[in-house]
Amino acid sequence: MPASPDPRDRLIVALDVHTVAEAEALVDRIGDAATFYKIGYRLAYEGGLALVPRLAAAGLKVFLDLKLHDIGNTVEDGVRALADLGPALITVHAYPQTMRAAVRARGTTGPKILAVTVLTSYDDADAAEAGYALPVAELVARRAAQAAEIGIDGIVCSAAEAAGVRRAIGSDRLIVTPGIRPAGSAAGDQKRVMTPGEAMAAGIDHVVVGRPILQAADPRAMAQAIVAEMR
Ligand code: C5P
């Protein structure tokens, strides 16, 4: 599906903070410079799930990045329960049973389901250690193709994988990419970074940005600069 016309929706700000109060203060500070926020393990396990309906009620979109993976029945129950909170996006690991269960649970009106193909911290040696015979690049391509066949709405992948993933999933599904750094900002522990402008040129629908905004002296101005670069 084509990304929504409001260019602000292309930026997803990662709320990688420790408390719900900190997250709310950050959202207030950024104001209308951003419309989309990601809640991951850290904040979710600190009470951050309660923030999802609050942000949704304020007209903001939420990417719930909990990377679900379990037996199908449990994934289905989990996606249904999370969908009730009103997120726009939910992540699962790209295992066929897990993806089918998530697609069943979201039905036609639920949140979009994104699949994580292979965690980007894995290289070929890590995949072999975990028992996989395929190199990571092939595993990513296979899982992306399976995700599309199953009806997953999009893929989370690194900028470096985006072109191959696009070939595997076609033009109608989303690609969401972390590891984005505005020109001139610190890469941190991200190894392969792209600028927001390069990400748009690479056909990426949404960029996830955490520390460059969270650690900026003026998070609102940084969010505005990133959106301006993607226009
Ligand atoms: O601070 P930074 O911009 O690096 O944050 C990126 C966000 O995307 C973090 O929430 C991080 O956990 C997430 N992420 C990532 N790399 C991946 C998958 C997720 O940085 N491969």
Side-chain angles (χ1 to χ4, degrees), residues 1-230:
M1 39 231 81
S4 46
D6 185 341
R8 290 178 304 169
D9 283 353
R10 291 179 172 275
L11 168 64
I12 302 178
V13 180
L15 284 175
D16 294 332
V17 294
H18 285 286
T19 66
V20 173
E22 271 178 88
E24 287 186 307
L26 185 68
V27 170
D28 280 348
R29 203 163 165 206
I30 292 175
D32 65 3
T35 54
F36 218 142
Y37 289 92
K38 179 170 94 81
I39 295 178
Y41 283 7
R42 187 201 292 190
L43 189 58
Y45 295 148
E46 299 272 3
L49 291 180
L51 200 52
V52 182
R54 295 215 285 274
L55 293 177
L60 298 166
K61 299 197 174 90
V62 181
F63 170 12
L64 211 36
D65 186 19
L66 300 181
K67 300 187 179 71
L68 304 185
H69 181 45
D70 207 308
I71 61 169
N73 187 61
T74 302
V75 170
E76 221 173 311
D77 283 348
V79 169
R80 284 218 173 85
L82 293 174
D84 287 343
L85 300 173
L89 302 173
I90 293 178
T91 43
V92 301
H93 282 283
Y95 288 78
Q97 282 187 11
T98 292
M99 294 192 286
R100 283 189 197 102
V103 166
R104 271 198 305 277
R106 70 105 155 83
T108 51
T109 55
K112 293 191 167 115
I113 308 292
L114 301 180
V116 177
T117 54
V118 178
L119 293 169
T120 51
S121 56
Y122 275 59
D123 62 17
D124 290 346
D126 297 306
E129 186 187 18
Y132 293 102
L134 294 179
V136 166
E138 283 178 42
L139 209 46
V140 168
R142 173 188 291 209
R143 289 181 171 176
Q146 286 173 331
E149 206 180 300
I150 287 168
I152 285 284
D153 303 299
I155 297 286
V156 182
C157 65
S158 72
E161 291 163 349
V165 166
R166 182 56 81 198
R167 276 194 295 281
I169 65 173
S171 56
D172 290 345
R173 292 168 216 281
L174 301 174
I175 295 183
V176 178
T177 302
I180 301 297
R181 292 290 176 266
S185 78
D189 55 3
Q190 299 282 11
K191 295 203 175 105
R192 290 188 299 268
V193 299
M194 240 186 212
T195 66
E198 287 166 344
M200 292 303 103
I204 289 164
D205 299 287
H206 298 280
V207 299
V208 177
V209 184
R211 288 163 290 181
I213 293 176
L214 271 49
Q215 295 172 359
D218 185 344
R220 175 177 167 80
M222 181 57 85
Q224 283 170 329
I226 292 169
V227 172
E229 192 183 330
M230 292 191 295

